[in-house]
Amino acid sequence: MMIDYLHPFVNVDMLVIQSLYDSWVAPNILGIGCIRAGIDTCSSVQLEALQQHQMNTVKLIKLMVSKNCNSGTWAISCSHHVMSVGTYSNANYKVNGVTLQQAMIMFANKEACNLYDQLWPANKGCAYLPH
């Protein structure tokens, strides 16, 4: 993620929208191509690497937003890349029961909005959806 380098220089409210199993990052950065066919096709070794990446990503996002009390997060455990396109109001894509659209409204209204999803496949709504 490039945001970890840029965040210290951002002086405005920011809502971080992130797929914790990014379908571009997995094959291109982590070298885990099985995600293209679905996370459920990955070996136990590949899945463990994806789970570790998910946990590291959550730690990094939490560190970033802790430095700016006006930042928020909507981080989902689904295999997807651009979460703000095509999933905005899709009821299959929820973090703790909150869609991206609802999270954006909460953030705009200055309501607490730091939503992190569980490890895959706990998010039953989108765990097996194609990316």
Side-chain angles (χ1 to χ4, degrees):
M1 291 191 322
M2 194 168 66
I3 191 68
D4 49 325
Y5 298 106
L6 297 176
H7 188 265
F9 305 103
V10 176
N11 295 317
V12 296
D13 298 352
M14 177 173 46
L15 177 63
V16 177
I17 301 168
Q18 181 65 40
S19 169
L20 298 172
Y21 295 86
D22 191 297
S23 60
W24 186 89
V25 170
N28 294 296
I29 304 292
L30 303 176
I32 303 173
C34 61
I35 200 167
R36 291 183 183 114
I39 297 176
D40 56 325
T41 66
C42 297
S43 71
S44 60
V45 172
Q46 291 168 318
L47 184 56
E48 178 58 34
L50 286 169
Q51 304 291 39
Q52 189 60 50
H53 177 72
Q54 188 266 17
M55 291 184 282
N56 291 341
T57 301
V58 168
K59 275 193 235 178
L60 180 61
I61 293 170
K62 284 182 176 181
L63 177 65
M64 290 184 317
V65 298
S66 71
K67 294 177 182 179
N68 181 346
C69 62
N70 295 320
S71 290
T73 306
W74 188 85
I76 193 165
S77 290
C78 297
S79 174
H80 211 293
H81 180 56
V82 183
M83 293 307 307
S84 59
V85 176
T87 59
Y88 177 68
S89 61
N90 186 326
N92 288 315
Y93 294 93
K94 291 183 178 181
V95 177
N96 300 332
V98 178
T99 66
L100 176 55
Q101 180 181 26
Q102 293 166 326
M104 292 174 102
I105 291 168
M106 291 167 65
F107 180 72
N109 290 332
K110 306 266 189 231
E111 297 172 28
C113 183
N114 283 298
L115 303 164
Y116 299 92
D117 214 348
Q118 306 156 16
L119 290 173
W120 184 92
N123 190 329
K124 301 295 184 201
C126 67
Y128 297 98
L129 292 178
H131 57 87

